[in-house]
Amino acid sequence: FLMKDTRITRKHDDFFLPIAPTIRSILMQFLLSESLALVIILASMDTLAFDWTFLFQVAIAVPVLVLSATLILSICRPWLKKLSLKKAIFAIFCLVLSTTLILSTVAAYFADNWWIILRILLITFIVTSVILGYFYMQYNLRRELMRREQTELQARIQALQSRIRPHFLFNSMNIITSLIATDPDTAEQVVEDLSELFRASLNEVGNQVSVEEELSLCRRYMHIESLRLGDRLEINWNVGNIPIHVKIPLLTLQPILENAIYHGIQPLPKGGVIDVTVNYQAPNFYVRITNPVSNQDKRRSTKGNRIALDNIRERLDALYGESARLSAGVEGDRYITTLSYIYD
């Protein structure tokens, strides 16, 4: 499975048959084939005239067929990978049934019972269908997991590219420079805040942290911006009692606050107030962030917020699935962003 964005690739084997037979897969095939063979034999025989000899023969023949077919498919796997799905399945059945035909013909010759060929072919067809269905189901599960992982990785890289904005870095460095001579303690605090933000940005992809850790990073970011904007920036924190076990994707709230400043507070001569509400009522986690927006900047704010919100939405969907919700829009003179998801 390949993402549409070819900038992110990962080496993987895109074929539903296992790369090589493992002890676990061979054991699974053996048990499954023996079970189905036993069911078919029991269903086709009269209880009073049960052929124990035939059952014993099948119990020996089935593992030989399974191991032989597994070996042949492993050898032919590179060729099968080049075929389309339908052609590959057809080729697999041809290989397995051909192998079965050869081995069952040898068994029928020594047992002097040619009808056994038809019965073994039927059993092999059913067993092969079930095993291929199992492998294809596992293959689809792996593809879904890889899709979610690639979506998270892609959104994370895009978020990094948009989050570490050059003007924010330059503004922070200017603040540090101006404070070194007059207020070295504050300058040192800004350096610590900036280093924590960059450390978090370079953290492991898909990492989840406690809500308090995420809010701590947000407060560091807001502290730097408050030094730049002064009295033009006010923020109200309304944080409920969030249990420590509740997690949030790292740097989810910070880009929302960043957009609230750059598209809401900064364009306004008098600035404004950002309201942040964070609450948890098991199992629902909820965040609401609002910022002022002027009438002439409503359209620009909506477009500017879209990239960051799309990144966050992809990350939440990758981690929490259908329970994740993210919405944003202008209501009156406020731009309101809400996100929620279920966290048990």
PDB file of all heavy atoms in Angstrom, residues 15 17-21 26 29 64-80 91-103:
ATOM      1  N   PHE A  15       2.249  -7.950  -0.439  1.00  0.00           N
ATOM      2  CA  PHE A  15       1.651  -9.183  -0.950  1.00  0.00           C
ATOM      3  C   PHE A  15       1.089  -9.943   0.231  1.00  0.00           C
ATOM      4  O   PHE A  15       1.665  -9.949   1.319  1.00  0.00           O
ATOM      5  CB  PHE A  15       2.692 -10.017  -1.685  1.00  0.00           C
ATOM      6  CG  PHE A  15       2.103 -11.095  -2.533  1.00  0.00           C
ATOM      7  CD1 PHE A  15       1.155 -10.797  -3.499  1.00  0.00           C
ATOM      8  CD2 PHE A  15       2.487 -12.409  -2.372  1.00  0.00           C
ATOM      9  CE1 PHE A  15       0.610 -11.788  -4.291  1.00  0.00           C
ATOM     10  CE2 PHE A  15       1.949 -13.411  -3.154  1.00  0.00           C
ATOM     11  CZ  PHE A  15       1.000 -13.095  -4.127  1.00  0.00           C
ATOM     12  N   LEU A  17       0.581 -13.181   0.819  1.00  0.00           N
ATOM     13  CA  LEU A  17       1.213 -14.409   1.300  1.00  0.00           C
ATOM     14  C   LEU A  17       2.391 -14.062   2.200  1.00  0.00           C
ATOM     15  O   LEU A  17       3.108 -13.096   1.940  1.00  0.00           O
ATOM     16  CB  LEU A  17       1.711 -15.250   0.129  1.00  0.00           C
ATOM     17  CG  LEU A  17       0.679 -16.056  -0.656  1.00  0.00           C
ATOM     18  CD1 LEU A  17       1.376 -16.865  -1.734  1.00  0.00           C
ATOM     19  CD2 LEU A  17      -0.140 -16.948   0.239  1.00  0.00           C
ATOM     20  N   PRO A  18       2.618 -14.820   3.266  1.00  0.00           N
ATOM     21  CA  PRO A  18       3.770 -14.559   4.139  1.00  0.00           C
ATOM     22  C   PRO A  18       5.072 -14.605   3.356  1.00  0.00           C
ATOM     23  O   PRO A  18       5.209 -15.351   2.379  1.00  0.00           O
ATOM     24  CB  PRO A  18       3.697 -15.694   5.175  1.00  0.00           C
ATOM     25  CG  PRO A  18       2.281 -16.138   5.169  1.00  0.00           C
ATOM     26  CD  PRO A  18       1.791 -15.936   3.771  1.00  0.00           C
ATOM     27  N   ILE A  19       6.034 -13.798   3.788  1.00  0.00           N
ATOM     28  CA  ILE A  19       7.315 -13.732   3.094  1.00  0.00           C
ATOM     29  C   ILE A  19       8.012 -15.087   3.111  1.00  0.00           C
ATOM     30  O   ILE A  19       8.564 -15.544   2.123  1.00  0.00           O
ATOM     31  CB  ILE A  19       8.215 -12.665   3.735  1.00  0.00           C
ATOM     32  CG1 ILE A  19       7.574 -11.284   3.558  1.00  0.00           C
ATOM     33  CG2 ILE A  19       9.615 -12.683   3.136  1.00  0.00           C
ATOM     34  CD1 ILE A  19       8.341 -10.169   4.219  1.00  0.00           C
ATOM     35  N   ALA A  20       7.978 -15.750   4.244  1.00  0.00           N
ATOM     36  CA  ALA A  20       8.593 -17.073   4.371  1.00  0.00           C
ATOM     37  C   ALA A  20       7.793 -17.857   5.393  1.00  0.00           C
ATOM     38  O   ALA A  20       7.272 -17.291   6.349  1.00  0.00           O
ATOM     39  CB  ALA A  20      10.055 -16.962   4.798  1.00  0.00           C
ATOM     40  N   PRO A  21       7.660 -19.168   5.195  1.00  0.00           N
ATOM     41  CA  PRO A  21       6.899 -19.958   6.159  1.00  0.00           C
ATOM     42  C   PRO A  21       7.575 -19.979   7.520  1.00  0.00           C
ATOM     43  O   PRO A  21       8.753 -20.294   7.639  1.00  0.00           O
ATOM     44  CB  PRO A  21       6.867 -21.353   5.524  1.00  0.00           C
ATOM     45  CG  PRO A  21       8.032 -21.375   4.587  1.00  0.00           C
ATOM     46  CD  PRO A  21       8.195 -19.983   4.092  1.00  0.00           C
ATOM     47  N   ILE A  26       3.118 -22.492   9.727  1.00  0.00           N
ATOM     48  CA  ILE A  26       3.023 -23.903   9.357  1.00  0.00           C
ATOM     49  C   ILE A  26       2.124 -24.660  10.330  1.00  0.00           C
ATOM     50  O   ILE A  26       1.295 -25.486   9.938  1.00  0.00           O
ATOM     51  CB  ILE A  26       4.424 -24.537   9.306  1.00  0.00           C
ATOM     52  CG1 ILE A  26       5.228 -23.943   8.143  1.00  0.00           C
ATOM     53  CG2 ILE A  26       4.327 -26.050   9.163  1.00  0.00           C
ATOM     54  CD1 ILE A  26       6.659 -24.429   8.074  1.00  0.00           C
ATOM     55  N   GLN A  29      -1.473 -23.724   9.583  1.00  0.00           N
ATOM     56  CA  GLN A  29      -1.964 -24.408   8.390  1.00  0.00           C
ATOM     57  C   GLN A  29      -2.218 -25.890   8.671  1.00  0.00           C
ATOM     58  O   GLN A  29      -3.208 -26.458   8.201  1.00  0.00           O
ATOM     59  CB  GLN A  29      -0.937 -24.258   7.262  1.00  0.00           C
ATOM     60  CG  GLN A  29      -0.748 -22.833   6.786  1.00  0.00           C
ATOM     61  CD  GLN A  29       0.363 -22.728   5.764  1.00  0.00           C
ATOM     62  OE1 GLN A  29       0.391 -23.459   4.777  1.00  0.00           O
ATOM     63  NE2 GLN A  29       1.299 -21.827   5.992  1.00  0.00           N
ATOM     64  N   VAL A  64       1.564 -33.612   4.602  1.00  0.00           N
ATOM     65  CA  VAL A  64       2.509 -33.685   3.482  1.00  0.00           C
ATOM     66  C   VAL A  64       2.096 -32.724   2.378  1.00  0.00           C
ATOM     67  O   VAL A  64       2.921 -31.990   1.812  1.00  0.00           O
ATOM     68  CB  VAL A  64       2.583 -35.126   2.954  1.00  0.00           C
ATOM     69  CG1 VAL A  64       3.464 -35.185   1.705  1.00  0.00           C
ATOM     70  CG2 VAL A  64       3.112 -36.058   4.021  1.00  0.00           C
ATOM     71  N   LEU A  65       0.802 -32.676   2.088  1.00  0.00           N
ATOM     72  CA  LEU A  65       0.310 -31.754   1.066  1.00  0.00           C
ATOM     73  C   LEU A  65       0.526 -30.302   1.468  1.00  0.00           C
ATOM     74  O   LEU A  65       0.936 -29.471   0.660  1.00  0.00           O
ATOM     75  CB  LEU A  65      -1.183 -32.020   0.810  1.00  0.00           C
ATOM     76  CG  LEU A  65      -1.541 -33.329   0.099  1.00  0.00           C
ATOM     77  CD1 LEU A  65      -3.049 -33.524   0.072  1.00  0.00           C
ATOM     78  CD2 LEU A  65      -0.991 -33.315  -1.320  1.00  0.00           C
ATOM     79  N   VAL A  66       0.220 -30.009   2.737  1.00  0.00           N
ATOM     80  CA  VAL A  66       0.350 -28.627   3.213  1.00  0.00           C
ATOM     81  C   VAL A  66       1.793 -28.159   3.129  1.00  0.00           C
ATOM     82  O   VAL A  66       2.090 -27.067   2.625  1.00  0.00           O
ATOM     83  CB  VAL A  66      -0.190 -28.505   4.649  1.00  0.00           C
ATOM     84  CG1 VAL A  66       0.171 -27.146   5.251  1.00  0.00           C
ATOM     85  CG2 VAL A  66      -1.696 -28.697   4.661  1.00  0.00           C
ATOM     86  N   LEU A  67       2.723 -28.978   3.622  1.00  0.00           N
ATOM     87  CA  LEU A  67       4.132 -28.600   3.609  1.00  0.00           C
ATOM     88  C   LEU A  67       4.669 -28.492   2.188  1.00  0.00           C
ATOM     89  O   LEU A  67       5.466 -27.601   1.879  1.00  0.00           O
ATOM     90  CB  LEU A  67       4.946 -29.612   4.415  1.00  0.00           C
ATOM     91  CG  LEU A  67       4.658 -29.631   5.929  1.00  0.00           C
ATOM     92  CD1 LEU A  67       5.456 -30.736   6.597  1.00  0.00           C
ATOM     93  CD2 LEU A  67       4.985 -28.283   6.558  1.00  0.00           C
ATOM     94  N   SER A  68       4.233 -29.398   1.322  1.00  0.00           N
ATOM     95  CA  SER A  68       4.683 -29.350  -0.070  1.00  0.00           C
ATOM     96  C   SER A  68       4.179 -28.090  -0.763  1.00  0.00           C
ATOM     97  O   SER A  68       4.928 -27.400  -1.467  1.00  0.00           O
ATOM     98  CB  SER A  68       4.204 -30.592  -0.823  1.00  0.00           C
ATOM     99  OG  SER A  68       4.702 -31.770  -0.216  1.00  0.00           O
ATOM    100  N   ALA A  69       2.901 -27.788  -0.565  1.00  0.00           N
ATOM    101  CA  ALA A  69       2.325 -26.594  -1.188  1.00  0.00           C
ATOM    102  C   ALA A  69       2.975 -25.325  -0.643  1.00  0.00           C
ATOM    103  O   ALA A  69       3.239 -24.377  -1.388  1.00  0.00           O
ATOM    104  CB  ALA A  69       0.817 -26.564  -0.956  1.00  0.00           C
ATOM    105  N   THR A  70       3.242 -25.309   0.664  1.00  0.00           N
ATOM    106  CA  THR A  70       3.894 -24.143   1.276  1.00  0.00           C
ATOM    107  C   THR A  70       5.270 -23.916   0.686  1.00  0.00           C
ATOM    108  O   THR A  70       5.661 -22.778   0.386  1.00  0.00           O
ATOM    109  CB  THR A  70       3.998 -24.341   2.796  1.00  0.00           C
ATOM    110  OG1 THR A  70       2.688 -24.504   3.347  1.00  0.00           O
ATOM    111  CG2 THR A  70       4.673 -23.145   3.440  1.00  0.00           C
ATOM    112  N   LEU A  71       6.025 -24.994   0.496  1.00  0.00           N
ATOM    113  CA  LEU A  71       7.365 -24.885  -0.082  1.00  0.00           C
ATOM    114  C   LEU A  71       7.306 -24.362  -1.510  1.00  0.00           C
ATOM    115  O   LEU A  71       8.081 -23.462  -1.900  1.00  0.00           O
ATOM    116  CB  LEU A  71       8.059 -26.250  -0.044  1.00  0.00           C
ATOM    117  CG  LEU A  71       9.465 -26.309  -0.655  1.00  0.00           C
ATOM    118  CD1 LEU A  71      10.414 -25.375   0.078  1.00  0.00           C
ATOM    119  CD2 LEU A  71       9.978 -27.744  -0.648  1.00  0.00           C
ATOM    120  N   ILE A  72       6.387 -24.880  -2.296  1.00  0.00           N
ATOM    121  CA  ILE A  72       6.276 -24.452  -3.694  1.00  0.00           C
ATOM    122  C   ILE A  72       5.850 -22.991  -3.791  1.00  0.00           C
ATOM    123  O   ILE A  72       6.382 -22.213  -4.591  1.00  0.00           O
ATOM    124  CB  ILE A  72       5.283 -25.365  -4.441  1.00  0.00           C
ATOM    125  CG1 ILE A  72       5.868 -26.775  -4.570  1.00  0.00           C
ATOM    126  CG2 ILE A  72       4.953 -24.795  -5.816  1.00  0.00           C
ATOM    127  CD1 ILE A  72       4.924 -27.771  -5.181  1.00  0.00           C
ATOM    128  N   LEU A  73       4.891 -22.572  -2.955  1.00  0.00           N
ATOM    129  CA  LEU A  73       4.434 -21.180  -2.974  1.00  0.00           C
ATOM    130  C   LEU A  73       5.537 -20.229  -2.525  1.00  0.00           C
ATOM    131  O   LEU A  73       5.632 -19.104  -3.022  1.00  0.00           O
ATOM    132  CB  LEU A  73       3.200 -21.016  -2.085  1.00  0.00           C
ATOM    133  CG  LEU A  73       1.928 -21.697  -2.581  1.00  0.00           C
ATOM    134  CD1 LEU A  73       0.791 -21.463  -1.595  1.00  0.00           C
ATOM    135  CD2 LEU A  73       1.532 -21.168  -3.958  1.00  0.00           C
ATOM    136  N   SER A  74       6.343 -20.675  -1.582  1.00  0.00           N
ATOM    137  CA  SER A  74       7.462 -19.833  -1.142  1.00  0.00           C
ATOM    138  C   SER A  74       8.466 -19.625  -2.267  1.00  0.00           C
ATOM    139  O   SER A  74       9.010 -18.530  -2.438  1.00  0.00           O
ATOM    140  CB  SER A  74       8.155 -20.464   0.071  1.00  0.00           C
ATOM    141  OG  SER A  74       7.266 -20.572   1.162  1.00  0.00           O
ATOM    142  N   ILE A  75       8.702 -20.670  -3.038  1.00  0.00           N
ATOM    143  CA  ILE A  75       9.642 -20.562  -4.161  1.00  0.00           C
ATOM    144  C   ILE A  75       9.071 -19.677  -5.266  1.00  0.00           C
ATOM    145  O   ILE A  75       9.791 -18.870  -5.872  1.00  0.00           O
ATOM    146  CB  ILE A  75       9.968 -21.970  -4.704  1.00  0.00           C
ATOM    147  CG1 ILE A  75      10.695 -22.791  -3.634  1.00  0.00           C
ATOM    148  CG2 ILE A  75      10.801 -21.878  -5.977  1.00  0.00           C
ATOM    149  CD1 ILE A  75      10.923 -24.236  -4.034  1.00  0.00           C
ATOM    150  N   CYS A  76       7.771 -19.809  -5.501  1.00  0.00           N
ATOM    151  CA  CYS A  76       7.125 -19.056  -6.594  1.00  0.00           C
ATOM    152  C   CYS A  76       6.650 -17.665  -6.165  1.00  0.00           C
ATOM    153  O   CYS A  76       6.108 -16.918  -6.995  1.00  0.00           O
ATOM    154  CB  CYS A  76       5.929 -19.847  -7.128  1.00  0.00           C
ATOM    155  SG  CYS A  76       6.351 -21.440  -7.857  1.00  0.00           S
ATOM    156  N   ARG A  77       6.836 -17.311  -4.907  1.00  0.00           N
ATOM    157  CA  ARG A  77       6.308 -16.045  -4.395  1.00  0.00           C
ATOM    158  C   ARG A  77       6.788 -14.820  -5.172  1.00  0.00           C
ATOM    159  O   ARG A  77       5.979 -13.923  -5.467  1.00  0.00           O
ATOM    160  CB  ARG A  77       6.656 -15.904  -2.918  1.00  0.00           C
ATOM    161  CG  ARG A  77       5.934 -14.774  -2.222  1.00  0.00           C
ATOM    162  CD  ARG A  77       6.279 -14.759  -0.737  1.00  0.00           C
ATOM    163  NE  ARG A  77       5.456 -13.787  -0.047  1.00  0.00           N
ATOM    164  CZ  ARG A  77       5.703 -12.483   0.005  1.00  0.00           C
ATOM    165  NH1 ARG A  77       6.766 -12.009  -0.627  1.00  0.00           N
ATOM    166  NH2 ARG A  77       4.918 -11.661   0.650  1.00  0.00           N
ATOM    167  N   PRO A  78       8.087 -14.686  -5.505  1.00  0.00           N
ATOM    168  CA  PRO A  78       8.524 -13.511  -6.281  1.00  0.00           C
ATOM    169  C   PRO A  78       7.782 -13.359  -7.600  1.00  0.00           C
ATOM    170  O   PRO A  78       7.496 -12.235  -8.031  1.00  0.00           O
ATOM    171  CB  PRO A  78      10.017 -13.770  -6.489  1.00  0.00           C
ATOM    172  CG  PRO A  78      10.414 -14.653  -5.354  1.00  0.00           C
ATOM    173  CD  PRO A  78       9.224 -15.541  -5.113  1.00  0.00           C
ATOM    174  N   TRP A  79       7.475 -14.476  -8.244  1.00  0.00           N
ATOM    175  CA  TRP A  79       6.723 -14.421  -9.495  1.00  0.00           C
ATOM    176  C   TRP A  79       5.258 -14.066  -9.244  1.00  0.00           C
ATOM    177  O   TRP A  79       4.670 -13.272  -9.984  1.00  0.00           O
ATOM    178  CB  TRP A  79       6.829 -15.764 -10.208  1.00  0.00           C
ATOM    179  CG  TRP A  79       5.900 -15.890 -11.385  1.00  0.00           C
ATOM    180  CD1 TRP A  79       5.987 -15.244 -12.586  1.00  0.00           C
ATOM    181  CD2 TRP A  79       4.723 -16.715 -11.453  1.00  0.00           C
ATOM    182  NE1 TRP A  79       4.952 -15.598 -13.405  1.00  0.00           N
ATOM    183  CE2 TRP A  79       4.155 -16.504 -12.737  1.00  0.00           C
ATOM    184  CE3 TRP A  79       4.110 -17.595 -10.575  1.00  0.00           C
ATOM    185  CZ2 TRP A  79       2.999 -17.152 -13.154  1.00  0.00           C
ATOM    186  CZ3 TRP A  79       2.962 -18.258 -10.987  1.00  0.00           C
ATOM    187  CH2 TRP A  79       2.416 -18.028 -12.260  1.00  0.00           C
ATOM    188  N   LEU A  80       4.668 -14.616  -8.204  1.00  0.00           N
ATOM    189  CA  LEU A  80       3.271 -14.345  -7.894  1.00  0.00           C
ATOM    190  C   LEU A  80       3.038 -12.876  -7.555  1.00  0.00           C
ATOM    191  O   LEU A  80       1.984 -12.314  -7.846  1.00  0.00           O
ATOM    192  CB  LEU A  80       2.805 -15.226  -6.724  1.00  0.00           C
ATOM    193  CG  LEU A  80       2.745 -16.734  -6.997  1.00  0.00           C
ATOM    194  CD1 LEU A  80       2.495 -17.498  -5.704  1.00  0.00           C
ATOM    195  CD2 LEU A  80       1.656 -17.037  -8.023  1.00  0.00           C
ATOM    196  N   ALA A  91      -3.383 -18.478  -9.855  1.00  0.00           N
ATOM    197  CA  ALA A  91      -2.118 -19.204  -9.984  1.00  0.00           C
ATOM    198  C   ALA A  91      -1.829 -20.023  -8.741  1.00  0.00           C
ATOM    199  O   ALA A  91      -1.321 -21.156  -8.823  1.00  0.00           O
ATOM    200  CB  ALA A  91      -0.979 -18.216 -10.254  1.00  0.00           C
ATOM    201  N   ILE A  92      -2.159 -19.485  -7.571  1.00  0.00           N
ATOM    202  CA  ILE A  92      -1.939 -20.221  -6.316  1.00  0.00           C
ATOM    203  C   ILE A  92      -2.777 -21.487  -6.292  1.00  0.00           C
ATOM    204  O   ILE A  92      -2.291 -22.575  -5.932  1.00  0.00           O
ATOM    205  CB  ILE A  92      -2.262 -19.320  -5.114  1.00  0.00           C
ATOM    206  CG1 ILE A  92      -1.195 -18.219  -4.969  1.00  0.00           C
ATOM    207  CG2 ILE A  92      -2.339 -20.135  -3.822  1.00  0.00           C
ATOM    208  CD1 ILE A  92      -1.532 -17.162  -3.950  1.00  0.00           C
ATOM    209  N   PHE A  93      -4.037 -21.365  -6.676  1.00  0.00           N
ATOM    210  CA  PHE A  93      -4.893 -22.553  -6.704  1.00  0.00           C
ATOM    211  C   PHE A  93      -4.349 -23.576  -7.697  1.00  0.00           C
ATOM    212  O   PHE A  93      -4.359 -24.789  -7.429  1.00  0.00           O
ATOM    213  CB  PHE A  93      -6.326 -22.164  -7.070  1.00  0.00           C
ATOM    214  CG  PHE A  93      -7.177 -21.788  -5.896  1.00  0.00           C
ATOM    215  CD1 PHE A  93      -7.500 -20.467  -5.638  1.00  0.00           C
ATOM    216  CD2 PHE A  93      -7.654 -22.761  -5.031  1.00  0.00           C
ATOM    217  CE1 PHE A  93      -8.275 -20.124  -4.555  1.00  0.00           C
ATOM    218  CE2 PHE A  93      -8.438 -22.430  -3.940  1.00  0.00           C
ATOM    219  CZ  PHE A  93      -8.749 -21.104  -3.703  1.00  0.00           C
ATOM    220  N   CYS A  94      -3.881 -23.116  -8.852  1.00  0.00           N
ATOM    221  CA  CYS A  94      -3.334 -24.048  -9.846  1.00  0.00           C
ATOM    222  C   CYS A  94      -2.110 -24.771  -9.298  1.00  0.00           C
ATOM    223  O   CYS A  94      -1.976 -25.995  -9.464  1.00  0.00           O
ATOM    224  CB  CYS A  94      -2.968 -23.279 -11.118  1.00  0.00           C
ATOM    225  SG  CYS A  94      -4.394 -22.685 -12.058  1.00  0.00           S
ATOM    226  N   LEU A  95      -1.217 -24.025  -8.638  1.00  0.00           N
ATOM    227  CA  LEU A  95      -0.014 -24.640  -8.086  1.00  0.00           C
ATOM    228  C   LEU A  95      -0.353 -25.650  -6.995  1.00  0.00           C
ATOM    229  O   LEU A  95       0.185 -26.765  -6.965  1.00  0.00           O
ATOM    230  CB  LEU A  95       0.914 -23.557  -7.535  1.00  0.00           C
ATOM    231  CG  LEU A  95       1.618 -22.668  -8.567  1.00  0.00           C
ATOM    232  CD1 LEU A  95       2.325 -21.516  -7.874  1.00  0.00           C
ATOM    233  CD2 LEU A  95       2.607 -23.481  -9.386  1.00  0.00           C
ATOM    234  N   VAL A  96      -1.242 -25.244  -6.085  1.00  0.00           N
ATOM    235  CA  VAL A  96      -1.589 -26.117  -4.963  1.00  0.00           C
ATOM    236  C   VAL A  96      -2.317 -27.368  -5.450  1.00  0.00           C
ATOM    237  O   VAL A  96      -2.004 -28.493  -5.029  1.00  0.00           O
ATOM    238  CB  VAL A  96      -2.445 -25.352  -3.933  1.00  0.00           C
ATOM    239  CG1 VAL A  96      -2.967 -26.309  -2.850  1.00  0.00           C
ATOM    240  CG2 VAL A  96      -1.633 -24.237  -3.288  1.00  0.00           C
ATOM    241  N   LEU A  97      -3.297 -27.182  -6.336  1.00  0.00           N
ATOM    242  CA  LEU A  97      -4.065 -28.332  -6.820  1.00  0.00           C
ATOM    243  C   LEU A  97      -3.204 -29.243  -7.697  1.00  0.00           C
ATOM    244  O   LEU A  97      -3.396 -30.475  -7.700  1.00  0.00           O
ATOM    245  CB  LEU A  97      -5.294 -27.842  -7.589  1.00  0.00           C
ATOM    246  CG  LEU A  97      -6.352 -27.138  -6.729  1.00  0.00           C
ATOM    247  CD1 LEU A  97      -7.506 -26.652  -7.603  1.00  0.00           C
ATOM    248  CD2 LEU A  97      -6.890 -28.072  -5.636  1.00  0.00           C
ATOM    249  N   SER A  98      -2.263 -28.660  -8.435  1.00  0.00           N
ATOM    250  CA  SER A  98      -1.355 -29.497  -9.235  1.00  0.00           C
ATOM    251  C   SER A  98      -0.471 -30.342  -8.331  1.00  0.00           C
ATOM    252  O   SER A  98      -0.268 -31.546  -8.584  1.00  0.00           O
ATOM    253  CB  SER A  98      -0.485 -28.612 -10.136  1.00  0.00           C
ATOM    254  OG  SER A  98      -1.277 -27.885 -11.043  1.00  0.00           O
ATOM    255  N   THR A  99       0.037 -29.727  -7.297  1.00  0.00           N
ATOM    256  CA  THR A  99       0.846 -30.477  -6.327  1.00  0.00           C
ATOM    257  C   THR A  99       0.021 -31.582  -5.672  1.00  0.00           C
ATOM    258  O   THR A  99       0.475 -32.712  -5.502  1.00  0.00           O
ATOM    259  CB  THR A  99       1.386 -29.524  -5.247  1.00  0.00           C
ATOM    260  OG1 THR A  99       2.137 -28.479  -5.879  1.00  0.00           O
ATOM    261  CG2 THR A  99       2.272 -30.270  -4.267  1.00  0.00           C
ATOM    262  N   THR A 100      -1.217 -31.209  -5.312  1.00  0.00           N
ATOM    263  CA  THR A 100      -2.110 -32.197  -4.690  1.00  0.00           C
ATOM    264  C   THR A 100      -2.418 -33.343  -5.641  1.00  0.00           C
ATOM    265  O   THR A 100      -2.466 -34.515  -5.238  1.00  0.00           O
ATOM    266  CB  THR A 100      -3.424 -31.510  -4.259  1.00  0.00           C
ATOM    267  OG1 THR A 100      -3.126 -30.436  -3.378  1.00  0.00           O
ATOM    268  CG2 THR A 100      -4.345 -32.500  -3.566  1.00  0.00           C
ATOM    269  N   LEU A 101      -2.646 -33.007  -6.909  1.00  0.00           N
ATOM    270  CA  LEU A 101      -2.955 -34.042  -7.897  1.00  0.00           C
ATOM    271  C   LEU A 101      -1.805 -35.037  -8.029  1.00  0.00           C
ATOM    272  O   LEU A 101      -2.022 -36.256  -8.086  1.00  0.00           O
ATOM    273  CB  LEU A 101      -3.259 -33.394  -9.246  1.00  0.00           C
ATOM    274  CG  LEU A 101      -3.589 -34.349 -10.390  1.00  0.00           C
ATOM    275  CD1 LEU A 101      -4.840 -35.169 -10.065  1.00  0.00           C
ATOM    276  CD2 LEU A 101      -3.771 -33.571 -11.691  1.00  0.00           C
ATOM    277  N   ILE A 102      -0.602 -34.533  -8.072  1.00  0.00           N
ATOM    278  CA  ILE A 102       0.564 -35.414  -8.210  1.00  0.00           C
ATOM    279  C   ILE A 102       0.698 -36.329  -6.991  1.00  0.00           C
ATOM    280  O   ILE A 102       0.851 -37.558  -7.110  1.00  0.00           O
ATOM    281  CB  ILE A 102       1.845 -34.580  -8.408  1.00  0.00           C
ATOM    282  CG1 ILE A 102       1.781 -33.830  -9.738  1.00  0.00           C
ATOM    283  CG2 ILE A 102       3.088 -35.472  -8.353  1.00  0.00           C
ATOM    284  CD1 ILE A 102       2.919 -32.849  -9.932  1.00  0.00           C
ATOM    285  N   LEU A 103       0.629 -35.727  -5.785  1.00  0.00           N
ATOM    286  CA  LEU A 103       0.809 -36.523  -4.574  1.00  0.00           C
ATOM    287  C   LEU A 103      -0.349 -37.483  -4.346  1.00  0.00           C
ATOM    288  O   LEU A 103      -0.151 -38.632  -3.910  1.00  0.00           O
ATOM    289  CB  LEU A 103       0.963 -35.586  -3.369  1.00  0.00           C
ATOM    290  CG  LEU A 103       2.231 -34.714  -3.365  1.00  0.00           C
ATOM    291  CD1 LEU A 103       2.229 -33.788  -2.149  1.00  0.00           C
ATOM    292  CD2 LEU A 103       3.487 -35.578  -3.356  1.00  0.00           C
TER     293      LEU A 103
END
